[in-house]
């Protein structure tokens, strides 16, 4: 993975927190990162070039007008006032290359001096085995702070740890082994016959590979996860972005980026679901 600075821009060494999406159902993590970049007007400082990410190109995602500023698969934004770096991912990883991509991204984070990584992702409502709405929230978390994935700060915010996380499961063990660079071969992933599909669903998702690789590099990792279904996931993305702001508010000498009513909708969202229907049909 290569970082390419945008012409005339520089990275800010004080930005010690990295926030990025892990692609999943409904693209909720990407939408939440879009909201945060659009609202904070973070500065795009460059791009990441990785052979494991499919190429794509589009028009300016944030506006306010589509002036032809190209959007690429992996973009890097700095918000120096909050010591925060965003990475926005706009296209999927090549099939079978997620672990290698996660390793490359972890190497970039370490080289860039990051200390804390916040991952935003979504989970399939249909896979929610132990429904617990006692907190009144759909947000769950997973942290590297403790071996069991728990985190005192996240608990204080009222969130529940991802109950299905079990580091002794085969997929999680495989990810840990590969991320730590021990003698396991990457193609030695347990076969479908050797695993319980329901138990290992979460470990098969992109956030799990990213979590394992960032953790193996000695970084603090906080995953914020939102259960959802495919469809209009704007409300889910707002919920996840608000959760990210609460985590960032835990930093010393920092304030939350914005409140519930302060989000600026990105220009690119105008075409997310196409134009409204022709009412003359009804």
């Amino acid at each position: 993975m290569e970082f390419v600075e945008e012409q005339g821009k520089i990275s800010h060494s004080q930005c010690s927190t990295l926030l990025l999406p892990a692609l999943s159902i409904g693209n909720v993590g990407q939408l939440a990162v879009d909201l945060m970049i659009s609202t904070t007007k973070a500065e795009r400082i460059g791009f990441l070039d990785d052979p494991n990410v499919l190429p794509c190109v589009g028009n300016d995602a944030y506006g306010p007008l589509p002036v032809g500023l190209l959007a690429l698969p992996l973009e890097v934004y700095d918000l120096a006032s909050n010591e925060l770096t965003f990475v926005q991912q706009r296209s999927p990883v090549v099939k079978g290359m997620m672990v290698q991509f996660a390793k490359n991204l972890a190497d970039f984070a370490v080289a860039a001096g990051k200390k804390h990584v916040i991952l935003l992702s979504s989970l399939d409502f249909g896979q929610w085995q132990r429904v617990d709405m006692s907190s009144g929230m759909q947000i769950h978390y997973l942290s590297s702070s403790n071996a069991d994935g728990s985190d005192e700060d996240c608990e204080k915010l009222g969130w529940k740890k991802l109950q299905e996380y079990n580091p002794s499961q085969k997929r999680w063990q495989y990810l840990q082994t590969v991320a730590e660079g021990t003698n396991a071969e990457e193609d030695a992933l347990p076969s479908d016959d050797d695993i319980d599909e329901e138990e290992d669903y979460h470990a098969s998702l992109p956030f799990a590979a990213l979590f394992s690789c960032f953790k193996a590099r000695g970084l603090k990792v906080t995953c914020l996860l939102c259960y959802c279904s495919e469809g209009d996931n704007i409300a889910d993305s707002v919920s996840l972005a608000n959760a990210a702001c609460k985590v960032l508010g835990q930093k010393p000498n920092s304030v939350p980026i914005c409140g519930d009513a302060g989000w600026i909708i990105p220009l690119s969202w105008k075409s997310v679901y196409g134009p409204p229907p022709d009412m003359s049909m009804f």
Side-chain angles (χ1 to χ4, degrees):
M1 178 177 288
E2 179 184 4
F3 172 64
V4 181
E5 283 191 352
E6 189 160 349
Q7 187 173 4
K9 303 293 179 67
I10 59 171
S11 57
H12 300 85
S13 58
Q14 73 269 30
C15 294
S16 60
T17 299
L18 173 64
L19 189 147
L20 70 159
L23 275 59
S24 189
I25 185 171
N27 300 319
V28 177
Q30 292 163 290
L31 293 173
V33 173
D34 261 354
L35 269 180
M36 299 181 77
I37 293 174
S38 176
T39 301
T40 61
K41 295 178 170 49
E43 177 186 29
R44 190 172 72 179
I45 61 167
F47 312 89
L48 293 172
D49 184 24
D50 190 280
N52 302 301
V53 177
L54 294 173
C56 75
V57 66
N59 203 348
D60 181 16
Y62 302 112
L65 297 173
V67 296
L69 184 66
L70 295 182
L72 297 178
L74 287 170
E75 299 180 327
V76 183
Y77 294 79
D78 268 3
L79 186 63
S81 60
N82 285 71
E83 301 180 355
L84 177 64
T85 295
F86 299 97
V87 168
Q88 178 60 300
Q89 183 179 348
R90 302 191 182 281
S91 64
V93 174
V94 175
K95 185 177 180 179
M97 300 305 296
M98 186 62 221
V99 172
Q100 185 57 54
F101 170 69
K103 285 182 174 181
N104 294 347
L105 203 51
D107 288 341
F108 160 75
V110 171
K114 307 307 179 190
K115 305 299 182 185
H116 184 195
V117 179
I118 302 172
L119 287 170
L120 306 184
S121 194
S122 49
L123 303 171
D124 186 354
F125 252 133
Q127 295 285 344
W128 199 352
Q129 300 298 318
R130 287 175 279 181
V131 178
D132 181 1
M133 293 296 289
S134 60
S135 67
M137 302 179 186
Q138 291 176 212
I139 302 295
H140 289 67
Y141 78 89
L142 181 63
S143 172
S144 64
S145 297
N146 296 300
D148 65 352
S150 64
D151 183 277
E152 184 178 351
D153 289 334
C154 290
E155 293 289 336
K156 288 179 180 178
L157 291 170
W159 300 327
K160 298 289 187 181
K161 189 197 79 173
L162 183 65
Q163 293 178 324
E164 291 81 1
Y165 176 65
N166 183 353
S168 66
Q169 290 172 357
K170 290 183 179 179
R171 280 190 187 271
W172 283 111
Q173 288 180 332
Y174 160 77
L175 287 173
Q176 178 182 347
T177 300
V178 173
E180 292 175 351
T182 50
N183 294 328
E185 295 292 334
E186 290 197 30
D187 59 1
L189 177 65
S191 68
D192 292 340
D193 294 334
D194 295 332
I195 62 174
D196 185 319
E197 184 175 347
E198 290 185 357
E199 284 190 353
D200 287 274
Y201 159 72
H202 299 86
S204 69
L205 297 177
F207 88 86
L210 291 166
F211 173 81
S212 298
C213 289
F214 284 126
K215 181 180 178 181
R217 299 301 191 277
L219 301 175
K220 179 181 178 180
V221 193
T222 305
C223 297
L224 299 180
L225 308 164
C226 175
Y227 279 97
C228 70
S229 301
E230 290 285 5
D232 184 347
N233 298 110
I234 290 177
D236 297 313
S237 68
V238 171
S239 176
L240 198 56
N242 283 332
C245 285
K246 291 180 180 180
V247 171
L248 293 168
Q250 300 299 305
K251 291 181 57 181
N253 304 319
S254 179
V255 295
I257 291 174
C258 56
D260 292 344
W263 297 113
I264 297 175
I265 302 301
L267 172 69
S268 56
W269 285 23
K270 291 184 177 180
S271 59
V272 168
Y273 298 106
D278 182 355
M279 299 307 294
S280 65
M281 296 188 301
F282 304 102

